[in-house]
Amino acid sequence: MDPQQSIETGNWVALAAYMGFSFFVGFAIGFAVKTFLKIMFFVVGTILLVLFVLQYNGMIDVNWASFEGSYNALIAWISPHLGGLKNFITANLSSAAMAGMGLFLGLRRR
């Protein structure tokens, strides 16, 4: 099957098989990250909204400085691990360009 015909018909599986394993892995990672981020942002946003409402109504007192310290510690911990993930992907996949394209399409896909 022609790659252009696969794109036009929306047959992403045939296109991924044609492009190779690296594309498929990149697409899967992109799709999983996008789904995870959507769920995480919804949960975190809901929790923060509840905290704002409870503090505004005087039911609780939130120590925002502690939240800021925890956030900064989390970012400091995640940053080196993301660099390691990038190095792992580029070193172990046969085609980093195809994996990057798959990642882009996985993040972009509705």
Side-chain angles (χ1 to χ4, degrees):
M1 179 176 267
D2 181 37
Q4 184 62 33
Q5 185 181 4
S6 294
I7 293 171
E8 290 170 358
T9 60
N11 190 353
W12 292 99
V13 175
L15 181 64
Y18 180 80
M19 296 284 193
F21 183 69
S22 298
F23 177 83
F24 175 72
V25 170
F27 184 82
I29 290 171
F31 186 78
V33 167
K34 181 180 177 183
T35 303
F36 172 75
L37 288 176
K38 279 184 177 180
I39 293 169
M40 185 188 70
F41 286 144
F42 177 76
V43 169
V44 170
T46 303
I47 290 171
L48 288 174
L49 184 64
V50 168
L51 286 175
F52 290 145
V53 168
L54 290 175
Q55 184 177 9
Y56 180 77
N57 290 326
M59 296 178 164
I60 63 171
D61 185 32
V62 179
N63 183 0
W64 294 110
S66 175
F67 272 107
E68 185 179 2
S70 298
Y71 174 78
N72 290 337
L74 177 69
I75 295 300
W77 179 79
I78 286 178
S79 295
H81 294 291
L82 289 178
L85 177 65
K86 178 186 149 212
N87 292 338
F88 171 76
I89 289 172
T90 56
N92 291 316
L93 292 178
S94 59
S95 173
M98 293 306 292
M101 188 170 98
L103 182 64
F104 172 74
L105 289 176
L107 288 171
R108 199 187 105 204
R109 178 117 168 98
R110 288 183 253 176

